Amino acid sequence: MLIRTEIGVDAAGIDSLLKRCFKSAAEAELTQSLREDSLLTLGVVATDDEGQVLGYAAFSPVTLQGEDRGWVALAPLAVDESLRGQGIAKQLIYEGLDTLNEFGYSAVVVLGDPAFFNRFGFEPAARHGLHCRWQGAEAAFQIYRLAEDAFEGAEGQVEFGEPFNRFN
């Protein structure tokens, strides 16, 4: 298994993976929209020896109260069903966090299962006075600090890129 930054040739495999892993095509369409709108900050893939995409993590910019603070959202995250439980999601997340840290990003937000994401160091965003627009998402909305000063003066609503509004 090779974990690396996505390249152009991976797009079809990513699309296929997302359509297999989710109940609808929304995540595949979201990723395509992020890519088309130049809002895909980072994509990390897990591929087999033949280059087939078996895991994927996408990161796209978010703002806080309309201000760019160098934060990104992790979404979607997918691993082929036949390979779940083997630590591939962990590798994708950590590769993404390491790369984003190297490029000077300061925080990553995610809307997902707290029991899953807490294992990687994500914590409730509400603890820092942060929320998102989706009602009832308080427990699922989490954040990971990359930069020591990421939360200084940070409070309010985290706004996801426009493509996220099309698929809710």
Side-chain angles (χ1 to χ4, degrees):
M1 188 72 49
L2 176 64
I3 307 293
R4 61 171 171 74
T5 300
E6 77 170 273
I7 56 176
V9 73
D10 295 324
I14 291 166
D15 187 67
S16 176
L17 173 74
L18 295 174
K19 287 177 178 174
R20 287 193 316 269
C21 290
F22 294 97
K23 294 176 183 165
S24 77
E27 283 79 4
E29 293 170 13
L30 168 65
T31 302
Q32 183 61 34
S33 291
L34 290 168
R35 195 177 284 119
E36 288 171 359
D37 294 351
S38 298
L39 293 174
L40 192 59
T41 303
L42 175 67
V44 180
V45 293
T47 62
D48 64 13
D49 293 339
E50 287 80 44
Q52 180 180 0
V53 177
L54 301 172
Y56 183 65
F59 299 86
S60 61
V62 296
T63 59
L64 177 62
Q65 303 287 106
E67 177 188 353
D68 179 1
R69 297 180 58 101
W71 294 9
V72 295
L74 165 55
L77 172 66
V79 173
D80 189 86
E81 189 172 0
S82 67
L83 297 171
R84 291 184 188 156
Q86 297 181 26
I88 296 170
K90 175 183 178 179
Q91 292 177 57
L92 290 166
I93 291 169
Y94 283 145
E95 180 66 23
L97 295 174
D98 286 347
T99 301
L100 291 163
N101 189 43
E102 287 176 23
F103 286 122
Y105 288 90
S106 55
V108 179
V109 297
V110 70
L111 196 61
D113 179 8
F116 180 77
F117 286 99
N118 287 163
R119 295 184 289 176
F120 307 110
F122 284 84
E123 59 181 319
R127 186 177 295 162
H128 301 283
L130 301 165
H131 60 277
C132 63
R133 70 178 180 89
W134 294 286
Q135 298 297 320
E138 292 80 16
F141 189 55
Q142 299 156 84
I143 193 159
Y144 182 94
R145 177 193 326 246
L146 291 168
E148 193 62 38
D149 63 349
F151 303 145
E152 286 181 16
E155 192 172 23
Q157 183 164 304
V158 174
E159 297 148 353
F160 287 66
E162 174 59 31
F164 284 89
N165 297 330
R166 297 181 215 154
F167 301 102
N168 291 313

